[in-house]
Amino acid sequence: MKKILFISVLGLLSCNRNAQVHPPVGGVLSKKDLDVSKDRMKNLNSIERNQIQQWIGMQSVKFYPTQLNYWVTAEGFDQRERRQDNSLISYSYDLYDFDDTKIYDEPVARRDAKFGHFDELKAVENALRFIHDGEEVTLLVPSALAYGTYGDEKKIDNDIPLIIKLKAL
């Protein structure tokens, strides 16, 4: 009986020595992987910013940079008084690519959305904090503030900067 127990323990220990450790699916990335991802996003953002600035140079409308890294057609836009959490806003917006092609036929529209309680594109949510009722502005948004690395899994591919025509209703 002791021999069987000894052989079983020895067998279990020898199995554990060669076991490979894998991070869980969707789990922890190594520091190297995180650094590669961070560098990729920095480079992509820099390229997109340059492309957007070149595009702006060819337009008759003036665009102004904001602190959140997008451009808007209203001067001093993000210096305005900011709407507070829990305040209500109704709005709609259309999405375009930089070839000025409308991406969806119907605008995205929300009625009586409450700040702090809705999930919207980062640039849209930020712009809604500063827009006046009835005002319409155009946003030029790098992909990181739009649909980012994954796109919207419908018509917007990954890493696509957008033109957003936003209106507060």
Side-chain angles (χ1 to χ4, degrees):
M1 183 69 160
K2 288 183 180 180
K3 284 183 179 181
I4 293 175
L5 185 59
F6 178 74
I7 292 172
S8 298
V9 170
L10 188 61
L12 286 173
L13 290 175
S14 66
C15 289
N16 283 338
R17 270 190 216 151
N18 295 328
Q20 290 184 340
V21 178
H22 297 283
V25 174
V28 180
L29 294 174
S30 70
K31 179 164 176 27
K32 181 182 175 190
D33 290 338
L34 291 173
D35 289 342
V36 166
S37 178
K38 187 169 107 178
D39 289 343
R40 178 189 175 281
M41 287 309 295
K42 271 186 185 176
N43 291 337
L44 180 63
N45 189 42
S46 178
I47 290 168
E48 287 179 1
R49 286 183 62 79
N50 287 336
Q51 289 172 338
I52 290 171
Q53 287 172 336
Q54 287 175 1
W55 185 88
I56 289 170
M58 297 183 301
Q59 305 305 307
S60 60
V61 176
K62 186 133 173 80
F63 288 88
Y64 303 91
T66 64
Q67 293 176 2
L68 190 63
N69 194 28
Y70 63 89
W71 289 260
V72 66
T73 51
E75 188 172 9
F77 187 72
D78 58 354
Q79 305 304 313
R80 297 175 177 179
E81 186 175 338
R82 183 179 157 90
R83 293 179 193 249
Q84 299 301 309
D85 279 349
N86 295 318
S87 61
L88 298 177
I89 188 167
S90 296
Y91 61 93
S92 70
Y93 62 89
D94 287 302
L95 300 171
Y96 296 81
D97 63 19
F98 274 82
D99 292 328
D100 209 25
T101 303
K102 192 173 183 179
I103 298 172
Y104 289 105
D105 294 333
E106 296 297 317
V108 175
R110 307 265 190 273
R111 292 270 179 209
D112 298 325
K114 189 182 286 189
F115 279 104
H117 300 279
F118 63 95
D119 187 28
E120 199 53 81
L121 297 174
K122 291 176 188 175
V124 170
E125 188 167 352
N126 181 265
L128 287 170
R129 295 279 184 174
F130 301 104
I131 198 168
H132 295 143
D133 290 339
E135 184 178 22
E136 187 171 342
V137 295
T138 300
L139 312 175
L140 307 179
V141 182
S143 63
L145 296 175
Y147 289 97
T149 305
Y150 299 104
D152 73 347
E153 298 179 356
K154 295 174 190 164
K155 289 187 172 186
I156 301 172
D157 207 1
N158 62 316
D159 300 327
I160 300 295
L162 296 173
I163 299 171
I164 301 173
K165 295 185 180 180
L166 175 65
K167 181 188 275 188
L169 306 174

